[in-house]
Amino acid sequence: MSKRSEPIPGITDIFPEETTEWRFLENTARDVFRKYGYDEIRTPILEREDVFLHSIGESTDIVQKEMYSFTDRGGRNLTLRPEGTAGVLRALTNRGILQGEEKRVYYSGAMFRGERPATGRKRQFHQLGVENVGKISPDIDVECIVMLMDYFRAVGLSDAKLLINTRGLPSDRDTVSKVLSSYFSKYDEEMCSDCRRRLDTNIWRILDCKNPTCREIIVKSPPVLDNLSESSRDYFRKVCDRLRLLNVEFEVDTRLVRGLDYYVHTVFELVHGGCGAQNAVAGGGRYEIMPPGNRRATPGVGFAIGLERLILSRADAGKYVETETPIDVYLVSLGDAARLENLVLAGRLRENGVAILMDLEERGMKAQMRSADKSGARFALIRGDEELSKGVLVCKNMGDSNQFEILEDNIITELFN
Ligand code: HAM
């Protein structure tokens, strides 16, 4: 097969035998999120670049290295969305979200990041996300986390581990940055080149570095929590207390800061061993975002689940649902008269919800039976002139090869009730 017919690295086709699993995950999300009052929103895949620059953060890996950005013929700087939150906030504030009003939305779709492809790390990947926009309260954060856990239970992954932390308020940042700076500058020589740069550009980003040498230094760094204001600590305490009250198991990871700059207060990730090195299947937190053209930041809390990683975890746990054959009946026609009658019959059966395939090429019996077999149909319904004259069809149960005659008028009642 020519390389030119393959998608580009890190971008994959999703074939029919895989889509039952995808639909199951999306439909389950709808069922779970609906119970918490969330409605679907669909925002564009292509946005102005500045929708992402300031909200995600100029010094994040996403903005620095991973965005697919280009200038269109009208001279606009555009970006394929690397995540959903910034676009959703742009859409809601563009509509004029009222102060103090709460919006609950979920979305599902493709995101794009120019990362090095690996298992669970794609350049086009799919997120299922939710955003609760407009209000600030530890209880909203907790409800959001509970909903995420509810979803993971519904898709059979109740063993995923919840990690949480707090980044405090923007007003806490200077204090924390100074403490981190005095710690990390001691390791200037040992850290990776990215982290050496981060010492000057955005010290918090060091905490998110995955380089093994940097990780050894990071695990001994002063916890963010210890250097936050009393009100930020109180907010986090309430989140933890409520989670305990609701029997949600979690682990506080004092160095979890997440790779986007818009977070304040609560941040969380759900990790699962089944998806390999990229073990964060979902991530989220509370944020403040000021979309371009707005003078005030809008608060919210939400999360996004990576569907490719979720599928890897479910496959590892033996939960992956294979696509079942969607075909109920293969109609086999022997002779022109039977073929015409079968065309009419196919229409009637489809009206009754039966999925039908039939020979449309006037082939012989053997070829048609081979197609019936290959289609995965539960029944082959066969007729020629003799069956036509009696008003019957020969029904072959493709599972056990049992054959019997059936009256044309009884097909629905006998086979599908
Ligand atoms: P994120 O942690 O960047 O957060 O992405 C969320 C999830 O998307 C990850 O946990 C992972 O499962 C998946 N993901 C990210 N990058 C890739 C990739 N290159 N290949 C495959 N899967 C990937 C966000 O995007 C935030 N918008 C989440 C959020 C919503 N925070 C508040 N509201």
Side-chain angles (χ1 to χ4, degrees):
M1 196 61 71
S2 143
K3 271 259 175 220
R4 291 175 59 191
S5 68
E6 289 173 13
I8 57 176
I11 298 189
T12 38
D13 299 301
I14 301 166
F15 287 102
E17 60 270 24
E18 301 165 81
T19 48
T20 301
E21 168 80 0
W22 284 79
R23 268 196 308 278
F24 165 74
L25 297 175
E26 287 157 359
N27 292 341
T28 307
R30 283 192 186 98
D31 291 347
V32 174
F33 300 163
R34 185 188 52 79
K35 288 190 286 174
Y36 293 80
Y38 284 75
D39 262 337
E40 186 175 6
I41 188 167
R42 300 188 186 202
T43 63
I45 287 174
L46 200 55
E47 294 270 6
R48 288 191 177 82
E49 186 181 41
D50 60 1
V51 168
F52 305 110
L53 290 183
H54 311 293
S55 54
I56 293 175
E58 312 261 357
S59 58
T60 57
D61 279 356
I62 296 180
V63 168
Q64 293 253 320
K65 308 188 219 168
E66 297 168 3
M67 294 208 309
Y68 284 101
S69 298
F70 61 96
T71 309
D72 77 353
R73 286 184 202 160
R76 298 178 197 90
N77 294 329
L78 304 180
T79 298
L80 285 175
R81 62 182 183 195
E83 58 102 53
T85 314
V88 166
L89 268 283
R90 190 228 12 96
L92 294 179
T93 54
N94 180 44
R95 259 276 193 92
I97 184 172
L98 299 173
Q99 205 181 2
E101 191 189 356
E102 188 196 39
K103 287 272 178 213
R104 295 176 170 230
V105 292
Y106 72 85
Y107 51 90
S108 159
M111 311 287 161
F112 302 83
R113 294 183 195 174
E115 296 192 72
R116 196 167 45 77
T119 308
R121 193 168 59 213
K122 303 246 166 224
R123 289 180 175 160
Q124 177 180 324
F125 58 97
H126 298 78
Q127 285 187 344
L128 263 175
V130 311
E131 310 296 345
N132 181 319
V133 179
K135 298 223 166 170
I136 308 171
S137 139
D139 284 352
I140 299 179
D141 302 10
V142 168
E143 190 193 62
C144 191
I145 294 172
V146 167
M147 181 165 79
L148 177 63
M149 303 311 284
D150 203 354
Y151 178 74
F152 268 68
R153 223 178 359 262
V155 299
L157 293 179
S158 36
D159 57 335
K161 189 156 104 185
L162 174 66
L163 305 175
I164 71 166
N165 193 24
T166 174
R167 291 180 46 140
L169 281 167
S171 53
D172 295 326
R173 277 201 194 138
D174 280 352
T175 319
V176 180
S177 301
K178 276 188 198 130
V179 175
L180 293 176
S181 191
S182 78
Y183 172 80
F184 284 116
S185 40
K186 289 188 286 198
Y187 300 94
D188 195 7
E189 309 271 281
E190 290 144 73
M191 290 191 301
C192 71
S193 57
D194 276 345
C195 282
R196 283 206 291 276
R197 184 173 42 78
R198 288 167 183 146
L199 271 176
D200 296 322
T201 54
N202 189 342
I203 193 97
W204 288 68
R205 294 269 63 86
I206 296 181
L207 295 174
D208 210 35
C209 183
K210 303 288 180 282
N211 175 299
T213 315
C214 297
R215 287 258 40 108
E216 279 176 29
I217 300 167
I218 292 162
V219 290
K220 295 186 200 122
S221 65
V224 171
L225 182 62
D226 293 358
N227 297 290
L228 296 180
S229 60
E230 188 43 40
S231 76
S232 291
R233 288 151 67 101
D234 183 53
Y235 190 103
F236 189 57
R237 214 174 289 126
K238 283 188 178 134
V239 170
C240 295
D241 286 349
R242 301 289 201 281
L243 287 174
R244 279 188 207 101
L245 176 80
L246 297 171
N247 293 321
V248 177
E249 278 181 36
F250 63 92
E251 192 180 302
V252 176
D253 176 348
T254 53
R255 276 120 200 144
L256 179 74
V257 287
R258 312 245 318 114
L260 305 106
D261 277 352
Y262 49 55
Y263 290 115
V264 296
H265 287 308
T266 324
V267 283
F268 52 91
E269 278 185 1
L270 255 189
V271 296
H272 193 270
C275 64
Q278 317 301 324
N279 64 357
V281 186
R286 173 156 289 285
Y287 50 81
E288 280 176 0
I289 292 180
M290 186 149 61
N294 283 255
R295 264 174 280 129
R296 231 190 5 242
T298 301
V301 61
F303 60 75
I305 304 162
L307 281 173
E308 283 80 1
R309 292 188 193 172
L310 185 62
I311 289 170
L312 285 172
S313 297
R314 277 175 41 87
D316 184 73
K319 309 272 179 186
Y320 186 91
V321 271
E322 298 282 349
T323 297
E324 279 174 25
T325 168
I327 296 302
D328 300 309
V329 166
Y330 195 97
L331 279 181
V332 176
S333 322
L334 307 173
D336 289 343
R339 178 165 298 107
L340 294 183
E341 285 301 319
N342 276 351
L343 279 172
V344 178
L345 174 62
R348 249 206 341 271
L349 292 179
R350 285 182 181 130
E351 272 172 30
N352 282 279
V354 180
I356 308 272
L357 278 180
M358 66 180 286
D359 175 64
L360 300 170
E361 297 167 76
E362 307 188 9
R363 294 174 305 164
M365 168 83 169
K366 250 192 175 162
Q368 292 190 52
M369 287 311 292
R370 260 200 310 274
S371 295
D373 208 26
K374 233 169 117 189
S375 74
R378 285 158 58 206
F379 304 105
L381 289 176
I382 309 154
R383 67 176 161 183
D385 292 339
E386 193 189 324
E387 287 77 19
L388 264 186
S389 67
K390 290 200 281 179
V392 299
L393 292 96
V394 174
C395 176
K396 179 174 178 189
N397 183 327
M398 302 302 282
D400 57 15
S401 292
N402 198 14
Q403 249 174 245
F404 51 94
E405 276 190 356
I406 185 168
L407 279 171
E408 179 170 356
D409 291 342
N410 291 352
I411 293 175
I412 294 292
T413 47
E414 282 189 28
L415 299 184
F416 298 103
N417 273 341

